[in-house]
Amino acid sequence: MASQNKPSIAICESDHDRLNQLAERASAGNPDVAEMLFAELDRARVVPDGELPHSVVRMGSRLSYRTDTGESRAVQLVFPAEADIDAGRISILTPIGAALIGLAPGQSIDWRTVDGRTQVLTVESVAQA
């Protein structure tokens, strides 16, 4: 496995609390993704809800990113019940969803694709829904 590129991230208190509970519930049925989400939550700097900059990816954020293969996508980060890949709504309980939380434009992170490859993802823009 390639070495992980882990930029510093920040998450607001309410997202941090809800996502910890979500990862806990998901750990039995989807332990790999739950572990990835727990790892991101553990390394995140937790800030009061009103103090997280609007440019940081949080739950509900609309964002664009590009990969090191040149693919660009515009997506919204959502809870699993709202996920719809065809509509661009990416669940936090996916490898890419867990990788996106807490990032700001210009930050990059390594993430493992469904087929096991490691790619670099770079956030280009973030807007709050």
Side-chain angles (χ1 to χ4, degrees):
M1 182 170 154
S3 63
Q4 291 292 304
N5 176 15
K6 297 286 187 180
S8 60
I9 59 173
I11 299 177
C12 65
E13 289 175 342
S14 62
D15 277 355
H16 194 267
D17 292 346
R18 286 183 71 187
L19 294 176
N20 262 309
Q21 293 171 13
L22 179 65
E24 186 68 39
R25 289 191 306 270
S27 62
N30 198 347
D32 291 340
V33 175
E35 183 178 315
M36 290 172 61
L37 182 55
F38 275 132
E40 293 304 289
L41 294 171
D42 286 348
R43 71 184 194 82
R45 181 174 55 89
V46 181
V47 299
D49 286 5
E51 295 180 19
L52 188 68
H54 291 292
S55 61
V56 173
V57 176
R58 66 186 84 196
M59 295 309 300
S61 292
R62 296 185 187 281
L63 62 126
S64 63
Y65 68 86
R66 72 180 183 289
T67 66
D68 56 344
T69 61
E71 176 189 9
S72 291
R73 293 216 42 211
V75 299
Q76 182 177 20
L77 186 62
V78 298
F79 288 98
E82 303 165 47
D84 180 344
I85 193 73
D86 292 332
R89 293 191 302 268
I90 304 295
S91 171
I92 186 68
L93 282 182
T94 60
I96 196 165
L100 287 168
I101 193 75
L103 294 176
Q107 286 186 303
S108 298
I109 191 167
D110 293 349
W111 69 285
R112 188 171 291 272
T113 62
V114 177
D115 62 7
R117 293 175 295 123
T118 298
Q119 288 190 335
V120 179
L121 173 152
T122 302
V123 174
E124 295 182 310
S125 67
V126 178
Q128 302 312 318

